Amino acid sequence: MFRTALRNVFAHKARLLMTVLAVMLGVAFVSGTLVFTNTISDALQNSSAKGFDHVDVAVKAKYQDAEGDKVGEVPELTQAELDASAKVPGAASAVGVVRGFTAVADKDGDLIGDGWSTEGANYWGAEDPRYPLVDGHAPKGEGEILIDSKTAERTGYKVGDRVRMSVDGPVLTPKVVGVFTTDDGSVAAGGSLTLFDTATAQHLFGKKGTYDEIDVAAKDGVTEAALKAQLDKALPKGLVETTTAKELADEQAEMITASMSGMRQGLLVFAGIALFVGTFIIANTFTMLVAQRTKELALMRAVGASRRQVTRSVLIEAFLVGVVAAVAGLLAGIGIGAGMRSLVGSLGALVPDGPLVISPGTVGAALAVGVLVTMLAAWLPGRRAAKIPPVAAMSSVHATATTKSLVLRNTLGALFSAAGIAVVLAATTMGGSDGQAPMGVGAVLLIIGVFILTPLLSRPLIATAAPVLRLFGVSGRLARQNSVRNPRRTAATASALMIGLTLITGMTVMAGSLQKSIDKMASASIKADYVVSMANGNPLSPDVGEKLREADGVTAISPLRNSASRIDGDTEYLTGVTGSTIGELTDLPVEDGAFEVAGTKVVVDTDTAKDRGWKAGSRFWTTYEDGEKQQLTVAGVYEGNDMIRGIMLDNAVLAPHLTDPVDMQVMVKTADGASQSAKDGLEKALGTNPAIKIQDKKDISSEIAKMFTLILNMLYGLLAMAVIVAVLGVINTLAMSVFERSQEIGMLRAIGLDRGGIKRMVRLESLVISLFGGVLGIGLGVFFGWAAGELMGSTMATYELVLPWGRMAVFLLLAAVVGVLAALWPARRAARLNMLQAIKAE
């Protein structure tokens, strides 16, 4: 039986090629994903591990939880803890570390690197072993800085140059007095690191006399564990925590692995989709191969082969095909992983350099996936082959599906579909995250149900194309008949395309609807012409608001300032605003009372009011950051949204209780409204600062739209894999269908249908099948997009369903193009058949 299976594989090389390609693409995606994520994870871990070369134990302050009405204290490490760390017997040195966001402009005035990776830190003493100098000297005072060598190389800055930079808003122009090297992964990936002397760093980052961390190096012969024990004994208990370098590296590795797991899972989902689509092709291929070998298999049964042996022979064929596809897919996946790594780097993503990682797990997963998927898909055709009775050797026509089997299939499909629809509809009535899992289960049930019902649906849907097909004469009528002759084969072919288009359409509907909702939210809730914020989302210095207030053309301004407080024993964040102008800058519907923020009068959003049982006129006590208590009165309840919500009170009341007041953003209204000249005026007033964003409502929406567009384009690219596999499926099905109908095609040629007519027949058949899959996919995608929107609408008041008719038309056109392209080779092959040989073909 093994020799028979091997002979059949070599005998049907061309027919099995599409199956090999389909499995290969799926395996390539799986192995490519694992290679890519393992490579990135390894590079990040190696980069982070280098950061612990000069530390054996790290000391950090422990956050003090709030008790009763007290506000939780922000952890700080003082000079006393630094001195105590340096004095323990096993310590060779102790370094106080200060870090913070530092935006540096290049010579064109643009921000260097990504806003999240442009950092600043302190240079310790006259010679810091963490940052070896390659030029210049240590910084002294606020007018001197060091820059990393990669930033110097990218920007052309050198010792003696003045640099424009900012840490929280105001522009600074210090002099570069030195260049250093560093193993920091963010710098290697395109970010920047700026160093100040310790006193300057503490002043700029608002950490006067305190440190973020204390790095302690051990003396020769002292272990990390011993040094940690000494520090635990010397430092205040309960106020600090110590961690060895090994523990830090392990924690960092765990964090990196966890952060990469989301990306890995997301990419593997799409690989799974490609493999799932590929199973239809494999099942189709083996089903048709079995059907074409009915005589052979029946004769094998007649001469003594058991059912198990026949099934085993088909599975051996599948195993051999799977091994070839898996090996080819693994090699292609390694190339894909390397390509994705290069692509990420070229797009400016912050990923350190590192070698390509091909782990034994990746090799094992690729081989296992390729072989298992192929064998599982071939099992049912193999089982069906084993049931061929020996008497079938008298005829090459195998028994068609019985009425009982079709009724059973349609019943199961109806039950799955009904259950899926019911679960999805139930999920739309749930709130937020509670409905996500049920909706996912319902979607899977519905897709399975529709797939099972596809043979039943094929006849009426394809029949609707009959009037158009009649325009093509005999070729059109034959194409319609051929496409419904074997509903199961047509369904399996169309389903591959259906799944891909379902996902693409559903995501497009959700993205378009979300963008529309965000546009409405921005235009409905904000009347300010501009919103000013830091490029990386960090707080702004209050100086920014003061400079904007004095700028020409500014008529109203309000900084938004967050502060933690305690209300009834719970932590609640207050939003400080300028009470006299906030009404001019926002447009929030008031559901109860009046939108009045003055003195002790505050306004709260509907969710907060509902949770706490407040209404207009309610009074409550709050404890500020400094421990002072005050009674506030709810003047009004407004309808909040994802952009503006919470308890608003006047900054004049909040500011005296803040030790370090900072603004999250500043709303600005100008005399002439939003215009390029007004924006230029605001930028000039802030010193053309690279760290600050000045956005109007359109800019805010566009920034969010870019995120959606980027994600959507990535998803389109990933789902293109499933569509390519679907194309291979259509080609495979048509090619084998042409082989099956050789006699019929020969007869058609003999009675007068020319080669052009044969080509047209095959192309129209392919077009009809592809459009059938496209219509089902777009229909399901719209339904899932609507359902997901209903779920999101429960947490987003401005959500509005938007059907992208233009894009859906493009998707349907894509399905048609798939059909036309997939038919090129089978149609050419059919037209070139020798009619006499085809007529006498068995």
Side-chain angles (χ1 to χ4, degrees):
M1 297 306 295
F2 178 78
R3 287 196 300 272
T4 302
L6 195 60
R7 178 183 62 79
N8 284 325
V9 168
F10 285 112
H12 301 120
K13 294 190 293 292
R15 301 183 209 170
L16 293 171
L17 177 62
M18 296 300 176
T19 301
V20 171
L21 285 174
V23 179
M24 185 196 77
L25 285 172
V27 172
F29 211 157
V30 171
S31 54
T33 295
L34 294 175
V35 168
F36 171 68
T37 52
N38 287 342
T39 297
I40 299 298
S41 179
D42 184 69
L44 290 171
Q45 287 179 26
N46 289 339
S47 175
S48 65
K50 288 178 182 177
F52 304 126
D53 289 346
H54 301 286
V55 54
D56 291 302
V57 179
V59 181
K60 295 182 180 179
K62 198 171 184 179
Y63 184 81
Q64 304 301 307
D65 291 329
E67 295 180 4
D69 286 335
K70 293 181 180 179
V71 179
E73 294 181 16
V74 179
E76 291 183 342
L77 289 170
T78 64
Q79 187 65 37
E81 275 117 21
L82 176 61
D83 294 339
S85 300
K87 290 177 182 177
V88 298
S93 64
V95 174
V97 179
V98 185
R99 298 191 190 95
F101 169 69
T102 303
V104 179
D106 59 22
K107 291 187 175 181
D108 295 326
D110 298 324
L111 180 66
I112 297 173
D114 190 340
W116 298 95
S117 65
T118 52
E119 285 198 336
N122 65 314
Y123 188 86
W124 190 257
E127 188 175 341
D128 193 331
R130 298 174 301 167
Y131 309 112
L133 286 172
V134 294
D135 191 14
H137 59 80
K140 298 174 183 177
E142 294 192 8
E144 297 183 350
I145 62 167
L146 303 180
I147 61 172
D148 65 88
S149 57
K150 288 191 177 294
T151 296
E153 182 182 334
R154 285 192 291 262
T155 61
Y157 284 133
K158 57 185 184 297
V159 173
D161 288 345
R162 290 279 177 182
V163 173
R164 293 172 58 79
M165 55 161 284
S166 171
V167 296
D168 61 357
V171 176
L172 306 173
T173 54
K175 180 191 290 186
V176 177
V177 296
V179 177
F180 64 93
T181 59
T182 176
D183 293 323
D184 190 302
S186 295
V187 172
S192 68
L193 179 62
T194 307
L195 299 181
F196 312 87
D197 66 35
T198 300
T200 300
Q202 288 175 323
H203 170 69
L204 291 176
F205 301 139
K207 298 165 185 174
K208 297 176 183 176
T210 64
Y211 304 93
D212 294 306
E213 184 179 306
I214 297 171
D215 291 343
V216 186
K219 290 180 178 177
D220 292 340
V222 179
T223 64
E224 291 181 356
L227 179 59
K228 181 179 185 300
Q230 292 175 7
L231 288 167
D232 287 339
K233 187 176 180 180
L235 297 173
K237 290 181 174 58
L239 297 179
V240 300
E241 53 186 356
T242 57
T243 313
T244 64
K246 185 180 183 307
E247 290 171 340
L248 285 172
D250 292 342
E251 286 176 13
Q252 195 79 356
E254 284 181 18
M255 289 173 60
I256 290 169
T257 301
S259 66
M260 293 301 297
S261 67
M263 180 190 295
R264 178 183 285 125
Q265 289 170 6
L267 291 172
L268 287 176
V269 165
F270 291 98
I273 292 168
L275 285 169
F276 183 57
V277 172
T279 58
F280 294 119
I281 301 175
I282 301 165
N284 251 4
T285 302
F286 280 96
T287 297
M288 286 186 280
L289 285 174
V290 166
Q292 291 165 14
R293 289 158 48 201
T294 299
K295 261 191 174 183
E296 176 190 329
L297 294 172
L299 282 169
M300 288 173 63
R301 292 290 315 284
V303 297
S306 67
R307 287 187 173 185
R308 184 175 295 177
Q309 285 178 311
V310 172
T311 302
R312 195 182 302 150
S313 72
V314 176
L315 290 177
I316 289 171
E317 289 180 48
F319 173 79
L320 294 173
V321 170
V323 168
V324 172
V327 171
L330 174 61
L331 296 175
I334 293 170
I336 289 173
M340 290 174 70
R341 172 68 183 82
S342 299
L343 178 63
V344 166
S346 66
L347 293 175
L350 303 178
V351 181
D353 295 328
L356 203 64
V357 178
I358 306 166
S359 67
T362 299
V363 176
L367 294 174
V369 166
V371 173
L372 287 176
V373 167
T374 309
M375 292 185 71
L376 284 173
W379 175 76
L380 191 59
R383 186 169 172 270
R384 203 175 290 144
K387 292 183 177 180
I388 297 175
V391 74
M394 303 299 295
S395 171
S396 62
V397 180
H398 184 42
T400 57
T402 63
T403 304
K404 180 181 177 182
S405 70
L406 290 174
V407 170
L408 179 61
R409 178 175 182 136
N410 294 338
T411 303
L412 278 174
L415 289 173
F416 269 100
S417 300
I421 292 171
V423 173
V424 169
L425 291 177
T428 61
T429 63
M430 301 178 184
S433 58
D434 294 338
Q436 290 177 3
M439 184 163 290
V441 172
V444 171
L445 289 174
L446 181 54
I447 288 176
I448 293 173
V450 171
F451 167 64
I452 297 172
L453 284 175
T454 307
L456 179 67
L457 298 172
S458 65
R459 288 185 179 276
L461 286 177
I462 291 176
T464 59
V468 178
L469 292 175
R470 285 197 197 101
L471 300 175
F472 296 92
V474 174
S475 298
R477 289 196 294 274
L478 288 171
R480 186 182 68 80
Q481 291 169 7
N482 290 334
S483 59
V484 296
R485 178 184 297 180
N486 191 333
R488 293 189 183 205
R489 185 191 304 161
T490 297
T493 306
S495 295
L497 192 59
M498 176 193 78
I499 292 171
L501 286 179
T502 294
L503 295 167
I504 290 174
T505 305
M507 290 171 181
T508 303
V509 170
M510 284 190 289
S513 301
L514 279 171
Q515 183 55 48
K516 178 72 172 178
S517 305
I518 290 163
D519 287 344
K520 284 178 63 178
M521 188 187 300
S523 60
S525 60
I526 299 175
K527 286 198 292 186
D529 294 317
Y530 293 100
V531 175
V532 180
S533 60
M534 290 292 284
N536 69 334
N538 272 13
L540 287 161
S541 165
D543 293 347
V544 173
E546 294 304 318
K547 288 183 178 180
L548 289 171
R549 196 183 305 276
E550 297 169 3
D552 293 337
V554 172
T555 58
I557 186 172
S558 175
L560 270 63
R561 190 169 292 173
N562 284 357
S563 172
S565 72
R566 297 288 283 183
I567 298 175
D568 296 332
D570 300 322
T571 299
E572 190 79 56
Y573 279 86
L574 306 175
T575 301
V577 298
T578 302
S580 59
T581 60
I582 191 65
E584 300 177 50
L585 301 167
T586 58
D587 188 12
L588 300 165
V590 178
E591 296 193 354
D592 185 22
F595 196 88
E596 183 181 358
V597 181
T600 58
K601 291 182 179 180
V602 302
V603 292
V604 300
D605 67 288
T606 50
D607 290 340
T608 304
K610 183 179 178 181
D611 291 343
R612 296 194 173 275
W614 293 342
K615 58 183 179 180
S618 296
R619 296 185 177 183
F620 62 92
W621 286 90
T622 185
T623 304
Y624 297 109
E625 285 183 9
D626 61 356
E628 292 290 327
K629 288 187 176 182
Q630 187 172 34
Q631 189 179 54
L632 303 176
T633 303
V634 177
V637 178
Y638 67 92
E639 186 179 313
N641 54 52
D642 289 341
M643 299 184 74
I644 302 176
R645 63 173 60 194
I647 303 172
M648 289 190 201
L649 76 162
D650 202 321
N651 273 325
V653 176
L654 179 63
H657 302 286
L658 304 180
T659 54
D660 185 22
V662 289
D663 301 325
M664 295 310 298
Q665 57 186 35
V666 180
M667 290 186 172
V668 181
K669 195 170 184 63
T670 59
D672 299 327
S675 65
Q676 189 59 48
S677 59
K679 187 173 183 178
D680 291 343
L682 296 179
E683 289 179 348
K684 186 177 180 181
L686 295 176
T688 317
N689 194 322
I692 294 180
K693 293 188 299 186
I694 301 175
Q695 298 175 297
D696 59 20
K697 288 182 279 190
K698 186 177 179 182
D699 293 331
I700 294 171
S701 297
S702 297
E703 184 176 58
I704 300 171
K706 284 180 184 175
M707 179 181 66
F708 283 130
T709 303
L710 177 63
I711 293 172
L712 201 59
N713 288 339
M714 288 176 62
L715 295 177
Y716 284 163
L718 294 171
L719 288 171
M721 182 73 74
V723 175
I724 291 171
V725 174
V727 172
L728 294 176
V730 178
I731 296 173
N732 206 23
T733 301
L734 287 173
M736 302 191 78
S737 179
V738 166
F739 178 83
E740 262 187 0
R741 304 196 320 255
S742 294
Q743 266 192 337
E744 175 189 321
I745 292 170
M747 290 294 296
L748 289 171
R749 292 277 288 115
I751 62 175
L753 190 62
D754 60 11
R755 288 186 174 183
I758 295 291
K759 285 183 179 179
R760 194 157 47 248
M761 176 187 73
V762 176
R763 288 170 184 163
L764 289 172
E765 180 183 348
S766 174
L767 183 63
V768 166
I769 292 173
S770 296
L771 286 174
F772 169 55
V775 168
L776 283 181
I778 291 171
L780 282 174
V782 169
F783 175 71
F784 289 138
W786 165 82
E790 288 294 304
L791 193 62
M792 289 185 288
S794 62
T795 57
M796 186 180 287
T798 57
Y799 185 84
E800 178 184 339
L801 179 67
V802 175
L803 294 180
W805 295 105
R807 290 205 177 189
M808 288 193 291
V810 171
F811 297 155
L812 196 60
L813 180 63
L814 173 65
V817 170
V818 165
V820 172
L821 293 177
L824 291 177
W825 178 63
R828 186 169 177 269
R829 183 183 177 191
R832 296 181 67 182
L833 282 175
N834 184 297
M835 70 178 74
L836 295 179
Q837 289 180 352
I839 289 170
K840 67 178 183 180
E842 291 267 340

